[in-house]
Amino acid sequence: MDEQKKRNLNNDHDDVLEPPTNFSMVEDGIFRSGFPQPSNFPFLQSLNLRSIIYLCPEPYPEENLEFLRSQNIQLLQFGIEGKTEPSVSILKDTILEALKVLIDVRNHPVLIHCKRGKHRTGCLVGCLRKFQNWCLSSVFEEYQRFAGVKSRATDLRFLEGFDTLLLRQCLYSIIYQYQGYGSNKRRLLYREDNLQKPQTMKV
């Protein structure tokens, strides 16, 4: 990104910051949204993101890649088809790999997004909630709040059937560390040993 674009990006901080569609905080250090547009870049800059988890199979737009490079943000892509429903086994495997990256606090602050921030993002966040021992009705309520009238019964069935034991078996070396700010929030940290390095897409 050239110097003029950087100056323009910084000058935009004087204006009202515009978040991407369907933007929300999942919890401290984790955010979700629809696909960011250039008008959202100043807002994303204010989040001091370290990583973006991108859940679509399509290539990332060059203008967005330029922004990531300028901010030293790593792009972690886990392609899930949106128009056609992927098989349960493929979806499960992809969500599992994305979850491993999502709960690694070394990737935080992190933004999760797909195209509209509804179905694919909702499935990943819903599986995170199950890992956090949320009751299923609360998982469904959060999913439906973002999906609205576009809520998919297949997504809800996937969330109901997702077995968090799969993730726990992969991450047996996780340390739970409680932070003392606000309410006691559970934070997840890896030990350095037995850790798979996340696949990073070069930007």
Side-chain angles (χ1 to χ4, degrees):
M1 185 175 288
D2 60 34
E3 290 302 317
Q4 183 59 46
K5 287 184 178 179
K6 287 183 179 179
R7 284 195 293 271
N8 290 341
L9 196 59
N10 290 330
N11 290 339
D12 284 341
H13 280 298
D14 297 332
D15 301 325
V16 176
L17 299 181
E18 179 185 348
T21 183
N22 250 347
F23 176 83
S24 182
M25 175 184 283
V26 178
E27 63 172 50
D28 188 47
I30 301 177
F31 307 93
R32 62 178 292 169
S33 76
F35 206 105
Q37 302 301 313
S39 60
N40 307 135
F41 291 169
F43 177 84
L44 296 185
Q45 189 177 24
S46 74
L47 299 178
N48 296 314
L49 294 174
R50 186 174 294 174
S51 310
I52 284 180
I53 293 178
Y54 174 47
L55 299 176
C56 301
E58 295 81 13
Y60 220 54
E62 183 57 36
E63 190 170 7
N64 291 59
L65 289 174
E66 270 193 55
F67 170 73
L68 298 192
R69 283 191 288 263
S70 73
Q71 303 300 310
N72 197 28
I73 299 171
Q74 63 176 338
L75 178 65
L76 304 159
Q77 184 171 7
F78 300 89
I80 300 172
E81 290 292 339
K83 293 183 180 179
T84 59
E85 294 178 1
S87 70
V88 172
S89 60
I90 292 175
L91 183 58
K92 180 186 69 177
D93 291 344
T94 307
I95 290 290
L96 188 61
E97 291 305 310
L99 273 174
K100 293 177 189 177
V101 171
L102 177 60
I103 65 175
D104 185 345
V105 297
R106 295 176 303 174
N107 296 319
H108 296 181
V110 58
L111 173 69
I112 310 161
H113 80 80
C114 51
K115 187 175 181 180
R116 295 184 176 87
K118 294 181 179 181
H119 305 116
R120 288 166 282 195
T121 298
C123 284
L124 179 56
V125 172
C127 290
L128 171 67
R129 297 308 194 192
K130 289 192 71 175
F131 185 71
Q132 294 174 319
N133 294 320
W134 278 34
C135 67
L136 192 59
S137 61
S138 295
V139 174
F140 282 1
E141 189 280 329
E142 183 179 41
Y143 169 89
Q144 290 168 329
R145 178 156 33 97
F146 288 91
V149 296
K150 298 291 187 178
S151 178
R152 292 177 178 170
T154 51
D155 287 347
L156 297 178
R157 287 197 296 270
F158 172 78
L159 289 172
E160 184 176 10
F162 185 79
D163 186 0
T164 59
L165 182 60
L166 296 170
L167 184 60
R168 296 179 194 280
Q169 288 172 339
C170 292
L171 305 176
Y172 62 88
S173 62
I174 283 178
I175 301 170
Y176 290 86
Q177 177 179 324
Y178 287 83
Q179 306 291 345
Y181 53 91
S183 59
N184 286 333
K185 292 186 178 180
R186 185 159 60 192
R187 299 283 288 174
L188 305 176
L189 296 174
Y190 283 108
R191 289 195 183 99
E192 289 299 324
D193 54 337
N194 301 320
L195 174 64
Q196 284 188 328
K197 185 177 180 181
Q199 290 185 342
T200 304
M201 180 178 177
K202 291 184 179 180
V203 297

